Amino acid sequence: MLLTLVILPTSVTGSGVALPHIGRDTGAPLDTLQWVVHAYNLAFACAMLACGSLADLLGRRRLFAAGAALFAGASLASAAGVGVLLLDVLRALAGVGAAALLTSGSSILATAFEGAARTRVFAAVGIATGGGLALGATVAGTLADTVGWRWFFAAHGVLMVVVLCAVPGMPESRRADASGLDVPGTAAFVGGLFLVMLGMVEGPQWGWGSPWVLGMLAGAVLLAVVFVRVERRSRHPMVDLGLLRNRRFLALCLIPVAVSCSFVILLPLLPNYLTVVDGMTSRAAGGVLLLMTAPVLLAPPLAGRLIARGLSQRAVFTLSLACLTLGVAGLAVVLRPGAGAGALAAPLLVLGVGLGLNFGLVDGAVLTVVAPDATGTAAGLLNTLRLGSEAVAIAAAGAALTGLTRLQLHDGLPRFPAYREGAAALANSVNAGDLSGPAAAVPAAVRPGFTAFAAQGFTTAWQFVLGVAAVLCAVLWLVIHRMLAPVAEVPSGPVPADPRTDDRADPGTALRTEPGAATAGGRPAGRAG
């Protein structure tokens, strides 16, 4: 399971680094090329809850084996030199396999270990996941630059075959009261998320006013309404939407959204900027990302020490969100052509610390604010919102960069009449991580000016997107901080003072229990904050 959790995050970080190489080898247009990343994220997010239900129904080891086989087969096929359209499909299949692996594997660990052993196991899980996140970009860049991007997917396939060999030694388990798969809810959720992502990816290419794009976005809204209605009426809903009425649970679910708007969007997109504007190799771009991902391994123990010294979870979450906001805002300020790793180091390190401070802490906190019999559903909903927000945030940021780059380049292209494709083709090229091809079509005498012009237009688009991301993070920071605030009970009449229960002895200890919050003996299960 630990090997699996090293592999899965690298599919997100590594694919973005390999994307320029894939684009040059296949000659794929930008919108098709982007689905190498989007298809994996979309399928991963959409299949999470469905795979959780199937694991309980069919058996967790059986679903884990099926997920490993699917992931291994899709990865090995991706390495076989297929066309980009088939590669997109294979990446989606790998995303389904990843969802099956993560949901069933986590359940297997939770049932196979108890007490202190379970605590140690899930600490190791966090380290493995963080390690995969930290090393994915560097490993992918090294493989892409030396032996080719196909070896990145081949390595995934070979390692997952090793995982398959260990499956017979894993225990089998299932829920005796498991209900069937919520087919209508699953279909509405998958269809809605697919349409909104497709609309955002194709918007810059077809035009945001295109009937097709508007139709897809309208269809996504319609399917979202259908999903809510289906889940409310279902006897065994895929998602218990009633949990979102729990203020503290909703606040915790918004923390991964802030992570998606800051940290996550940089993983697949920033390498393209570094290769185009600064001329870095994929290996060097992956090394720069290591400045952001390495602190994810180091910051969680810091969060634990802060809490051990008396800092509340609410304060740690606030500090985490502050780091994410300041990090992405700082990156918007320092990002410029020729900045180099030295100038980017400070904001990237702050972003990594921001994620590391809440890495794993959010998942543990969720279990304390819902009823004991709702912890599984709450964890599933949290992970679905986490993966769904990541998929949508990456697609939205990519679409915004493409559209804004096109606008920046439009007015300047008449200075370079030798370049015939125009702003749209140039914007697509730089967002795919390739400026060498367009520059080759420009006469050598004006090539340096053309390259600098394109780099500055791309940089301006990036600065705007990062500025918007900083504003969104700041708003979420304030909202989450407010929602996590403890609320004191207001007594309905005079209450005799009791030194054991009198709130005046410890102001703020009497907290209102949210709907669905865990209780023990009629009292809140733990102090909020």
Side-chain angles (χ1 to χ4, degrees):
M1 187 60 201
L2 294 180
L3 178 57
T4 299
L5 290 173
V6 170
I7 296 170
L8 297 185
T10 64
S11 286
V12 179
T13 56
S15 297
V17 175
L19 214 56
H21 294 267
I22 298 172
R24 284 191 289 270
D25 283 359
T26 62
L30 177 64
D31 51 348
T32 307
L33 185 64
Q34 286 178 326
W35 280 102
V36 174
V37 174
H38 295 329
Y40 179 85
N41 293 335
L42 175 66
F44 201 164
C46 290
M48 277 290 294
L49 288 175
C51 286
S53 299
L54 289 174
D56 291 339
L57 187 66
L58 303 177
R60 289 153 185 158
R61 185 179 69 179
R62 181 179 299 177
L63 190 70
F64 185 90
L70 182 60
F71 190 94
S75 298
L76 292 173
S78 298
V82 298
V84 70
L85 288 175
L86 182 55
L87 180 60
D88 291 341
V89 174
L90 292 171
R91 296 304 298 148
L93 292 176
V96 175
L101 286 164
L102 185 60
T103 53
S104 57
S106 298
S107 297
I108 289 171
L109 293 180
T111 55
F113 297 92
E114 295 181 354
R118 182 187 295 176
T119 302
R120 290 194 298 271
V121 163
F122 278 95
V125 164
I127 294 171
T129 305
L133 186 66
L135 298 176
T138 304
V139 172
T142 301
L143 290 174
D145 282 342
T146 54
V147 294
W149 60 267
R150 290 181 177 85
W151 284 94
F152 171 68
F153 297 118
H156 278 179
V158 171
L159 289 174
M160 197 54 68
V161 170
V162 175
V163 171
L164 271 170
C165 294
V167 168
M170 303 175 78
E172 180 60 288
S173 62
R174 60 171 55 86
R175 282 183 58 180
D177 60 342
S179 57
L181 182 64
D182 178 13
V183 176
T186 301
F189 180 78
V190 172
L193 193 54
F194 173 73
L195 285 179
V196 73
M197 288 188 64
L198 183 61
M200 286 189 294
V201 171
E202 299 296 348
Q205 312 302 327
W206 298 351
W208 291 105
S210 164
W212 286 103
V213 173
L214 294 176
M216 284 186 285
L217 297 178
V221 174
L222 178 62
L223 285 175
V225 174
V226 171
F227 173 73
V228 171
R229 293 180 65 88
V230 167
E231 295 304 290
R232 284 180 174 177
R233 295 183 178 184
S234 175
R235 293 182 59 187
H236 302 288
M238 182 175 67
V239 176
D240 182 6
L241 296 176
L243 287 172
L244 296 179
R245 292 195 295 268
N246 182 332
R247 184 196 63 178
R248 297 180 63 76
F249 175 74
L250 179 59
L252 293 171
C253 287
L254 289 176
I255 293 176
V257 176
V259 173
S260 298
C261 293
S262 53
F263 185 97
V264 172
I265 60 173
L266 299 176
L267 294 174
L269 299 176
L270 187 59
N272 286 348
Y273 177 87
L274 298 174
T275 56
V276 165
V277 176
D278 290 339
M280 292 186 182
T281 63
S282 294
R283 185 190 315 185
V288 172
L289 283 189
L290 195 61
L291 293 169
M292 184 176 72
T293 54
V296 176
L297 284 172
L298 304 176
L302 172 62
R305 285 195 290 270
L306 290 174
I307 291 175
R309 293 186 178 184
L311 206 65
S312 67
Q313 281 191 352
R314 180 190 181 212
V316 173
F317 287 138
T318 299
L319 180 59
S320 167
L321 293 167
C323 288
L324 292 171
T325 303
L326 296 175
V328 74
L331 191 60
V333 173
V334 303
L335 194 70
R336 64 185 185 278
L344 304 180
L348 291 178
L349 287 169
V350 171
L351 278 165
V353 171
L355 175 59
L357 286 174
N358 72 65
F359 193 67
L361 193 61
V362 174
D363 303 77
V366 161
L367 304 182
T368 68
V369 299
V370 299
D373 60 352
T375 53
T377 304
L381 180 54
L382 172 67
N383 282 320
T384 299
L385 290 173
R386 173 184 284 139
L387 292 169
S389 67
E390 289 177 1
V392 172
I394 292 172
L401 286 171
T402 303
L404 290 168
T405 304
R406 185 178 301 179
L407 290 175
Q408 290 296 318
L409 299 180
H410 182 269
D411 293 335
L413 278 177
R415 296 161 48 198
F416 306 98
Y419 188 76
R420 302 175 182 174
E421 297 292 338
L426 180 56
N428 286 349
S429 294
V430 297
N431 276 279
D434 180 26
L435 184 55
S436 59
V442 178
V446 297
R447 193 171 297 158
F450 174 84
T451 302
F453 160 72
Q456 186 55 54
F458 196 25
T459 299
T460 303
W462 260 97
Q463 289 169 340
F464 184 86
V465 169
L466 291 172
V468 172
V471 171
L472 290 175
C473 287
V475 172
L476 287 169
W477 171 17
L478 296 175
V479 170
I480 293 168
H481 178 76
R482 177 64 179 169
M483 293 175 70
L484 288 177
V487 179
E489 289 280 9
V490 179
S492 57
V495 179
D498 186 332
R500 294 171 299 175
T501 60
D502 190 3
D503 297 342
R504 291 169 294 183
D506 184 6
T509 56
L511 305 181
R512 184 178 64 192
T513 303
E514 294 290 337
T519 58
R523 300 185 306 276
R527 177 178 299 184

